[in-house]
């Protein structure tokens, strides 16, 4: 369908970053049209009936510590457009083989006290970061720059640069505290003996105390539905079912924002991109992928450990050593026998997602990039280990491997859900060192999680990219 008039700006992709860019440009007074290849908007925030009627499953993201804390989201009236964060009683539970669980609670005090002899160490590690989070957030959730608050940033950086295994061992004595930290650090997708893997444990732990690990009532789709509704209220236009295959297909506009990862830009840009820049994009690396299972369940998961039934997120993987072994194996191209499983049970706090008395379960583990290996049995065995009887509750299941994910959303290259590896090199060079959002094509910018600050539902890549575009175009 032809557009009513040529817009000032166009955006390709309706993930949280595409919508964040579109909103930022609209707020600056530009007319904006957004194109999405799928039939519905949302990218990594879709919610669908994947198993049985009445069971709503988050296809991708489920838990949103970065979303609720995002300085950009906080600047938007998303509540007025239908978004409601729902907080569990316990932010995160990490069951252990002895029938207990380490719990991340909103209060640093309660979390640390439950860690026994590690109580003081936990308070020392997390306490200062939680206090400083309001000044740290704008520096951390941004492209690399000289920090506005150098001292707290440097104190964070000294620990964050360490491998998670090392920081866990230096900080804690108990298996419970070490496992809790390792599970959070494993969100990095990095082997836990690699530099910077500790950063993810520190940030996610801090967020647990500072603003929580909530889910969105009605499913993660409510985040981008609220963003789209606000965008339309500003006059923005959204066109779905439009797969953009080259830059030449787009209406000419002052600004073009691409919610795409570097490899996709090579294809879209074609000969318009100078060879030097194409080389940089080709050197950009993608990391492990995911294998995911969604369950329709006949009731709550029967965890042995108290606390797991009060948390929307459960890290299933046992000790820090087990988690570290599994994550390293994935980087060696192997499929761990006992994978680290990230599990969400959102119906415990959001009854709108399943028929009365029933539950949905969401879980994934890391696998080598592009893997098509079926991890269902291994994921379910891990859950059964800490919740005997779990399998008996399964009414239906839906699985998706790396290749299937990439077919649904071309941004998920080989099943990589972060838009590229998030190691030290690609923390600095994402995908270029200076002006990471700018491309050599005049007026064309990257704004996806393949730019700083990287993966997760927070919209900060889109916000920074659009702000940069407004300043420089
Ligand atoms: C299984 C899974 C679990 C996750 N869990 C969490 C979680 O719990 N919490 C969290 O914060 N994050 C999570 N994430 C990560 C999060 O979803 C992503 O980091 C986030 O969605 C990235 O946003 P984005 O806007 O950069 O890209 P995306 O959300 O991927 O959006 C890109 C959009 O561009 C569209 N597109 C691509 N190519 C074209 C084209 N040529 N033409 C038109 N449109 C195109 C795609 O269809 C898509 O809609 C998860 C992701 C997955 C897959």
């Amino acid at each position: 369908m032809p557009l009513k008039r040529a817009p000032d700006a166009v955006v390709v992709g309706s993930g949280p970053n595409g919508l964040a860019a579109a909103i930022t440009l609209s707020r600056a007074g530009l007319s904006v049209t957004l194109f999405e290849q799928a039939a519905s908007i949302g990218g990594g925030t879709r919610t669908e009936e994947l198993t049985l009627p009445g069971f709503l499953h988050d296809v991708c993201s489920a838990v949103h510590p970065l979303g609720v804390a995002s300085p950009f989201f906080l600047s938007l009236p998303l509540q007025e457009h239908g978004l409601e964060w729902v907080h569990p009683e316990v932010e995160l539970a990490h069951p252990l083989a002895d029938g207990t669980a380490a719990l991340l609670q909103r209060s640093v005090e309660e979390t640390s006290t439950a860690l026994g002899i590690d109580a003081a160490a936990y308070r020392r590690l997390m306490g200062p970061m939680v206090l400083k989070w309001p000044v740290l957030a704008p520096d951390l959730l941004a492209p690399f720059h000289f920090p506005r608050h150098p001292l707290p940033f440097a104190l964070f950086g000294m620990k964050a640069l360490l491998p998670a295994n090392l920081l866990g061992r230096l900080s804690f004595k108990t298996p419970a505290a070490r496992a809790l930290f390792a599970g959070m650090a494993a969100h990095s997708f990095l082997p836990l003996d690699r530099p910077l893997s500790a950063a993810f444990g520190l940030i996610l732990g801090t967020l647990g105390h500072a603003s929580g690990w909530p889910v969105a009532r009605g499913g993660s789709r409510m985040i981008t539905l609220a963003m789209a509704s606000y965008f339309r209220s500003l006059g923005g236009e959204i066109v779905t079912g439009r797969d953009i295959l080259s830059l030449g297909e787009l209406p000419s506009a002052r600004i073009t924002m691409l919610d795409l990862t570097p490899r996709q830009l090579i294809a879209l840009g074609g000969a318009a991109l100078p060879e030097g820049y194409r080389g940089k994009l080709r050197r950009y690396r993608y990391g492990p992928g995911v294998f995911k299972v969604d369950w329709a369940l006949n009731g709550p998961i029967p965890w042995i450990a108290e606390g797991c039934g009060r948390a929307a997120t459960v890290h299933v993987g046992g000790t820090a050593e087990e988690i570290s072994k599994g994550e390293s194996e994935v980087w060696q191209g192997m499929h761990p026998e006992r994978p680290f499983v990230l599990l969400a049970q959102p119906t415990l706090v959001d009854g709108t997602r399943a028929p009365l008395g029933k539950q949905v379960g969401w879980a994934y583990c890391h696998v080598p990039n592009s893997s098509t290996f079926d991890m269902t049995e291994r994921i379910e065995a891990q859950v059964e280990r800490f919740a005997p009887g779990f399998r008996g509750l399964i009414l239906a299941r839906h699985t998706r491997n790396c290749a299937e994910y990439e077919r649904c959303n071309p941004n998920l290259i080989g099943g990589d859900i972060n838009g590229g590896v998030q190691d030290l090199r690609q923390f600095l060079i994402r995908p270029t060192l200076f002006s990471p959002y700018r491309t050599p094509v005049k007026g064309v910018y990257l704004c996806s999680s393949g730019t700083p600050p990287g993966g997760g539902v927070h919209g900060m890549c889109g916000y920074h990219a659009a702000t940069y575009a407004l300043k420089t175009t």
Side-chain angles (χ1 to χ4, degrees), residues 12-19 35-38 40-46 59-67 187 242-245 259-260 264 268 290 292 362 364 405 408-412 415-419 447-450 454-458 461:
V12 178
S14 67
N17 285 312
L19 282 162
F35 297 99
E36 165 58 48
Q37 59 92 24
S40 59
I41 63 146
T45 62
R46 292 195 170 89
V59 180
C60 301
S61 72
V63 185
H64 296 101
L66 288 163
H187 283 250
R242 208 32 223 282
D243 193 3
I244 303 297
L245 300 175
D259 183 9
L260 308 175
Q264 293 152 282
L268 239 71
V290 297
K292 178 155 173 279
W362 168 108
Y364 73 80
Y405 263 116
C408 302
N409 178 352
N411 283 39
L412 304 173
D416 178 334
I417 70 172
N418 285 322
C447 71
S448 74
S449 60
V457 174
H458 45 64
C461 315

Side-chain angles (χ1 to χ4, degrees), residues 135-403:
V135 297
L136 273 172
D139 277 332
L140 289 177
L141 301 176
F144 187 61
H145 62 286
F146 189 80
R148 268 171 281 180
H149 299 277
L151 189 60
F153 191 84
L155 291 174
F156 165 77
M158 273 165 17
K159 294 172 195 153
L161 282 171
L162 295 177
N165 280 347
L166 180 61
L167 184 60
R169 276 198 308 271
L170 289 175
S171 305
F172 303 123
K173 295 188 177 68
T174 61
R178 287 182 176 176
L180 183 67
F181 187 69
M184 295 190 291
H187 283 250
S188 66
F189 274 70
L190 297 173
L192 301 187
D193 53 8
R194 285 261 180 102
L196 202 70
S197 51
F200 293 77
L202 291 171
I203 291 178
L204 288 173
T206 300
L207 287 175
H209 301 301
S211 41
W213 287 33
V215 299
R217 188 180 298 285
S220 298
R221 66 176 173 186
M222 299 307 287
I223 302 168
T224 37
L225 285 179
M227 293 177 85
S229 165
Y230 176 54
F231 171 54
R232 288 194 180 102
S233 78
L234 298 171
E237 184 187 11
I238 297 179
V239 182
T240 53
R242 208 32 223 282
D243 193 3
I244 303 297
L245 300 175
S246 86
L247 290 177
E249 282 174 35
L250 292 166
S252 68
R254 198 179 114 200
I255 293 177
T256 297
M257 307 294 311
L258 304 176
D259 183 9
L260 308 175
T261 75
R263 188 177 297 173
Q264 293 152 282
L265 175 58
I266 300 178
L268 239 71
L273 300 173
E275 187 45 38
Y277 183 72
R278 290 162 70 88
K280 283 182 189 154
L281 298 184
R282 273 196 295 269
R283 283 194 289 281
Y284 188 80
R285 291 159 302 130
Y286 292 86
V290 297
F291 182 92
K292 178 155 173 279
V293 193
D294 286 283
W295 299 285
L297 298 171
N298 208 6
I301 300 176
W303 302 105
I304 298 172
E306 196 288 319
C308 293
R310 294 186 285 131
T313 309
V314 185
H315 283 167
V316 187
T319 61
E321 290 75 17
E322 279 179 83
I323 295 170
S324 177
K325 179 171 176 284
E327 295 303 288
S328 295
E329 285 174 358
V330 171
W331 276 80
Q332 291 157 33
M334 292 153 69
H335 295 83
E337 201 58 51
R338 286 188 157 186
F340 171 58
V341 176
L342 298 89
L343 184 145
Q345 36 189 15
T347 18
L348 289 182
V349 288
D350 176 12
T352 66
R353 302 192 193 199
L356 196 63
K358 312 293 183 207
Q359 299 275 320
V360 294
W362 168 108
Y364 73 80
C365 69
H366 302 153
V367 288
N369 190 281
S370 300
S371 160
T372 52
F373 188 88
D374 188 340
M375 292 292 283
T376 311
E377 175 55 35
R378 295 182 189 184
I379 289 179
E380 290 181 359
Q382 282 287 63
V383 182
E384 189 76 23
R385 228 177 113 195
F386 298 97
F390 161 72
R391 282 199 177 104
L393 294 171
I394 301 173
L395 300 171
R397 69 167 69 73
H398 175 276
T399 65
R400 201 165 269 182
N401 64 31
C402 297

Side-chain angles (χ1 to χ4, degrees), residues 387-447:
F390 161 72
R391 282 199 177 104
L393 294 171
I394 301 173
L395 300 171
R397 69 167 69 73
H398 175 276
T399 65
R400 201 165 269 182
N401 64 31
C402 297
E404 289 160 339
Y405 263 116
E406 190 173 345
R407 268 200 294 282
C408 302
N409 178 352
N411 283 39
L412 304 173
I413 308 263
D416 178 334
I417 70 172
N418 285 322
V421 174
Q422 307 196 119
D423 61 1
L424 196 51
R425 179 163 176 258
Q426 289 193 176
F427 165 71
L428 297 170
I429 303 174
R430 195 169 186 87
T432 48
L433 179 55
F434 301 110
S435 318
Y437 308 109
R438 195 178 62 196
T439 77
V441 184
K442 190 170 180 308
V444 176
Y445 300 86
L446 276 175
C447 71

